[in-house]
Amino acid sequence: MSTGAVGRAHPRLEGREKVTGTARYAVEYPVDGVTYGWAVPAAVVRGRITRVDTDEALASPGVLAVLHHGNAPRLAQGPERELWLLQEPAAHYRGQFVAVVVATSLEAAREGARLVRIDYDAGPHSTVLAADHPGLYKPEHVNPSYPTDTAEGDFDAGYAAAPVRVDVTYRTPAYHNNPMEPHATTAQWHDGRLVVHDSNQGPVAVQATLAELFELPQESVRVITEHVGGGFGSKGYTKAAVVLAALAARHVDRPVKLALTRQQLFGPIGYRTPTIQRVRLAADAHGRLTAICHDAISQTSTIREFAEQTAVYTRSMYAAPHRRTTHRLVRLDVPTPFWMRAPGECPGAYALESAMDELAIAVGVDPVELRIRNDAQVDPDQGEPFTSRNLVACLREGAQRFGWTGRDPTPRARRDGRWLIGTGVAGSSYPARARPSSAAATARPDGTFLVRIDATDIGTGARTALWQVAADALGVPPERVEIRIGDSDLPVAPLAGGSMGTASWSWAVIRACEALRGKLREGASPDTEVSAEADTTDEVGGQPTRPRYAYGAQFVEVRVDADTGEVRVNRLLGVFAAGRVVNPTTARSQLIGGMTMGLSMALHEEGLLDERYGDWVNHDLATYHITGCADVEAVEAYWLDERDDELNPAGVKGIGEIGIVGTAAAVASAVHHATGVRIRDLPIRLDKLIGVSGLA
C-alpha cells in the first residue's frame, strides 16, 4: 500500500553531505600510499611519435614514472580503439593522451608532465566540417542504432506542388560538456583485482570495459561511483581517465589518483559535434504540412565512428504525407564526438523548430497554432499510435501561463526605450525509454529495509527518487528505508543516460520490494533478515513497442539592445508532459537546468576550432562562455498531471533531457521577433545582429 512518498517534494538525501563537503567524489577517497597521475596530450594534429625523452621528467623531485607507448602495460585491443591508450606511437588528434606522469604529489606530477619531451613526424590533416567535404559518407546507422535515412511518400513531388515552402540551412558549432567534477579516478590493484572509484554514469559498463582491456574476469573489477558531480552524457561510457589511472597504478604498483584538467575536457572525453542542417518544409495555405525533409551533416574522428542522430527528431514530431531524413558524416583528424544532453534531439530540434517558426511567418499563422494544426496522434515514423501525446496540452498550458494570447506577430513591434522586445515558442519531444535492470530488497529485524541497486546519481536526485519509490512499494514510511547505489558489486543496472535512469531502476526496485512483501506475507521470521531480488529483463523486453515520448513547450521573452545588439532573456517558461513526477523538487531542478543549458546553447556556447592545430582555442571556462544565474532573469518549469499505463510500474518518462530540446529554437525565434533578424548559425552573438535591419 502506497505511503504517498512518490509525488511528494523532498530534499536530496545526500544534500547535507554535499553542501558541507563531506560527500566524497572520485579522487577524494582516502587511500594509503597514494600517488598522482597527470596526463600528457599530443601536440600535433596527426602524426607519429618518433622519440619520447623522459630523463628530465624522471629527474624531477617526486616523479616515480613516465608511461608512454614504449613502456606502458599492454592492453587487449578490443573494438574500442579509442581506449587503446599508450599502446602505439600514432597520434590521431591534438590533445590525445600519449603519456602519463606518476608522482608522489599532484604538483610533482604536473611539473613532471611539463618536462616530458616528445618529438613527432607530423602528417597532413583535415579538421573542418563543410557541406561539400569530399570525405562525406553515409554511415550504416546513427546513434544508437537508428536507420541512417528514412523516406515516406514522394518528398520532391510533394514539395514542388506546395503553395508555401521554406528551404533553410542552420548551423551549430561544437559544444563541450563541462560537469563541475571533471573526469577523475582513483585506481588501485590488490591481488590481481582492480578497484576504481570513478566519476561515471554507469559502473557496470565501465567494469565490463576495464575487464576486457586488462583481460580480467568481470568479477575481478569493482567500480564505485557513489557521488558524481555531473556528466551531461560525457561520462556515459568508459573514458580515458579511468584507463590511464588503472594503467599507471599497475605500472607503479601503488594507488593512483588522476583527474583531468578543465582544459583536457575539451576534446578527449567527447563533445557535441558541429552540424550543418538543411530543413525544407512545404505546407498548404492553412499551414498544414505536406512535405518535410531534414538533411544533417556532422563529423566524427578517424579512430571511432560516432554519428549524431540529428534528424531523428523530425521523424516523429509533426505529421506530413511526404517525408525524408538523411544523415551524412565525415571523418576528420579531431577527437571523437559523443553524447551531450539530448544528443540528436537537441540540435535537430533547433533546426526543425526554427524552420516551423519561419513557416508560421510565411503562412501567416500563429506559431503555437501552426504546431497544433500539425499534431499527430499516430507516430509518422512507426505508423503506430503513441502511448500518450500531450504536446498540444503543453502548448496551450504554456501559452496561457506565458500570456501568449494577443501577441502581435510583427517583428520589432514592441519597444521599451532602447530595448526591442520579442517572444518565441518551440515544441519539444524526447523518447521515453527503459532498459532491463535488477535490484534487491532486504527486511531487517529492527523493522528497517535496505534496497540495493547499481544506479548512478549524477546530481539529478536519482538516489532520493528511488528511496521514495521503494518506500511506496514497501508500504512503509521513507524513514525506514535505506537506499544503496553506485557500486558494480550491487545488482546490475543500466547507466544514467537517455532520460531512462529512473524509469529503468524504479521498475526493478518496485518488483524487488513487491517480492519481499510477498515473502513477508508468507510468514517469514521477524527476527531474521529476509531478502528478495528482481530482474526486469523479461518484463521490459516483453513490453509492447508502441512509441513513447515525453513532450514539452518552451516560451521565451527577450530584449535586444537596438544600439549594441546585446540580448537579454526576460522570461523562460516551460510546460512538460513527462509521465508521473516522483519528486517535484528535483524534477523542477532538472527541467530548469535543461532550459538554462538550451539558453546557453542559443546565446553563449561555441567551440572555436583553430584548423591549423585541430584544437579549440577557447578550452576553459574563462573563454568558453556558459550561461550563469545572471543570464536567466526568470525561469519557470511546470508539468501536466500525465498518467500513461503503458510505460512502467512507476509511470515515469524521464525528465533529464526534455528541458533542453526546444529551448534554443525558442530563443532564436524570440530574437527574430524582437529584431526582424533571423540568425541561423548559433550562437546569437551581438556582432551578428549589429548593423542589420536597422540595428546600430
Side-chain angles (χ1 to χ4, degrees), residues 338-415:
F338 196 59
W339 301 330
M340 185 170 177
R341 201 173 200 164
E345 282 81 7
C346 180
Y350 162 66
L352 177 62
E353 297 294 332
S354 295
M356 288 291 285
D357 193 71
E358 299 204 44
L359 178 65
I361 294 170
V363 177
V365 175
D366 178 82
V368 171
E369 176 60 27
L370 181 79
R371 288 170 170 83
I372 292 173
R373 291 183 187 181
N374 289 285
D375 187 40
Q377 292 303 307
V378 173
D379 184 353
D381 187 45
Q382 297 185 33
E384 294 284 339
F386 297 98
T387 61
S388 57
R389 180 177 167 109
N390 283 304
L391 173 62
V392 171
C394 291
L395 286 163
R396 287 177 170 154
E397 175 83 4
Q400 187 273 324
R401 288 182 177 274
F402 189 77
W404 184 268
T405 305
R407 170 187 185 262
D408 186 340
T410 308
R412 301 176 65 98
R414 290 178 59 197
R415 187 160 186 155

Side-chain angles (χ1 to χ4, degrees), residues 242-260:
V242 67
V243 178
L244 293 176
L247 278 170
R250 170 168 275 188
H251 184 79
V252 300
D253 197 24
R254 289 174 63 176
V256 172
K257 292 186 176 185
L258 189 151
L260 299 184

Side-chain angles (χ1 to χ4, degrees), residues 56 65 141 234 285 311 361 378 384 386 423 435 441 511 523 528 593 693:
E56 194 175 357
H141 64 270
S234 72
I361 294 170
V378 173
E384 294 284 339
F386 297 98
T423 53
R435 295 290 182 269
R511 294 297 184 245
T528 61
S693 295

Side-chain angles (χ1 to χ4, degrees), residues 34 36 89 119 125 151 217 239 252 307 382 395 431 465 531 536 573 575 602 644 651 661:
V34 72
Y36 298 85
D119 294 336
H125 62 265
K239 293 298 176 69
V252 300
Q382 297 185 33
L395 286 163
S531 296
T536 65
L573 181 148
V575 176
D644 187 333
V661 173

Side-chain angles (χ1 to χ4, degrees), residues 39-185:
V40 178
V44 296
V45 184
R46 179 171 171 265
R48 188 174 183 85
I49 297 171
T50 58
R51 185 178 71 101
V52 181
D53 184 348
T54 63
D55 291 347
E56 194 175 357
L58 290 170
S60 183
V63 173
L64 302 175
V66 180
L67 283 75
H68 51 85
H69 71 277
N71 66 352
R74 295 295 92 188
L75 296 173
Q77 189 171 7
E80 299 301 336
R81 191 175 175 212
E82 192 174 37
L83 295 175
W84 205 55
L85 296 163
L86 312 188
Q87 305 296 298
E88 59 178 352
H92 299 282
Y93 60 86
R94 187 181 178 93
Q96 179 183 1
F97 298 126
V98 293
V100 173
V101 174
V102 186
T104 55
S105 71
L106 185 64
E107 294 78 10
R110 180 175 60 189
E111 176 63 10
R114 188 184 68 84
L115 297 173
V116 175
R117 303 287 181 255
I118 302 178
D119 294 336
Y120 304 88
D121 181 8
H125 62 265
S126 175
T127 60
V128 178
L129 179 67
D132 59 352
H133 195 288
L136 284 172
Y137 70 96
K138 177 184 175 181
E140 290 188 6
H141 64 270
V142 294
N143 177 63
S145 56
Y146 289 109
T148 303
D149 298 348
T150 59
E152 295 289 339
D154 186 338
F155 168 76
D156 293 324
Y159 185 78
V164 183
R165 289 173 291 183
V166 169
D167 183 350
V168 283
T169 297
Y170 302 92
R171 289 175 169 82
T172 59
Y175 298 109
H176 298 275
N177 313 61
N178 269 289
M180 185 176 293
E181 180 195 23
H183 289 242
T185 304

Side-chain angles (χ1 to χ4, degrees), residues 317-512:
M317 193 58 181
Y318 301 111
H322 306 290
R323 294 175 294 109
R324 186 167 71 209
T325 64
T326 70
H327 295 85
R328 295 297 180 266
L329 199 61
V330 61
R331 292 187 179 274
L332 299 175
D333 299 305
V334 295
T336 308
F338 196 59
W339 301 330
M340 185 170 177
R341 201 173 200 164
E345 282 81 7
C346 180
Y350 162 66
L352 177 62
E353 297 294 332
S354 295
M356 288 291 285
D357 193 71
E358 299 204 44
L359 178 65
I361 294 170
V363 177
V365 175
D366 178 82
V368 171
E369 176 60 27
L370 181 79
R371 288 170 170 83
I372 292 173
R373 291 183 187 181
N374 289 285
D375 187 40
Q377 292 303 307
V378 173
D379 184 353
D381 187 45
Q382 297 185 33
E384 294 284 339
F386 297 98
T387 61
S388 57
R389 180 177 167 109
N390 283 304
L391 173 62
V392 171
C394 291
L395 286 163
R396 287 177 170 154
E397 175 83 4
Q400 187 273 324
R401 288 182 177 274
F402 189 77
W404 184 268
T405 305
R407 170 187 185 262
D408 186 340
T410 308
R412 301 176 65 98
R414 290 178 59 197
R415 187 160 186 155
D416 181 10
R418 74 174 193 270
W419 295 99
L420 303 168
I421 311 298
T423 53
V425 64
S428 295
S429 74
Y430 197 82
R433 303 183 177 100
R435 295 290 182 269
S437 187
S438 55
T442 300
R444 294 161 166 161
D446 63 0
T448 63
F449 297 84
L450 171 64
V451 174
R452 295 174 295 119
I453 182 170
D454 187 26
T456 313
D457 192 330
I458 58 174
T460 59
R463 177 187 278 103
T464 307
L466 290 177
W467 173 72
Q468 293 173 264
V469 167
D472 265 13
L474 290 166
V476 300
E479 293 74 21
R480 289 171 56 189
V481 179
E482 177 188 351
I483 188 85
R484 194 171 297 167
I485 66 171
D487 189 331
S488 62
D489 278 1
L490 299 174
V492 175
L495 59 80
S499 294
M500 66 181 180
T502 302
S504 305
W505 306 326
S506 64
W507 198 328
V509 165
I510 289 171
R511 294 297 184 245

Side-chain angles (χ1 to χ4, degrees), residues 627-677:
T627 290
C629 294
D631 295 307
V632 191
E633 297 183 16
V635 56
E636 304 170 68
Y638 304 95
W639 51 84
L640 307 179
D641 183 17
E642 183 182 61
R643 301 300 171 105
D644 187 333
D645 295 332
E646 296 190 41
L647 295 172
N648 48 69
V652 301
K653 284 186 173 180
I655 56 175
E657 287 157 294
I658 186 69
I660 193 178
V661 173
T663 302
V667 173
S669 295
V671 171
H672 172 265
H673 186 230
T675 65
V677 180

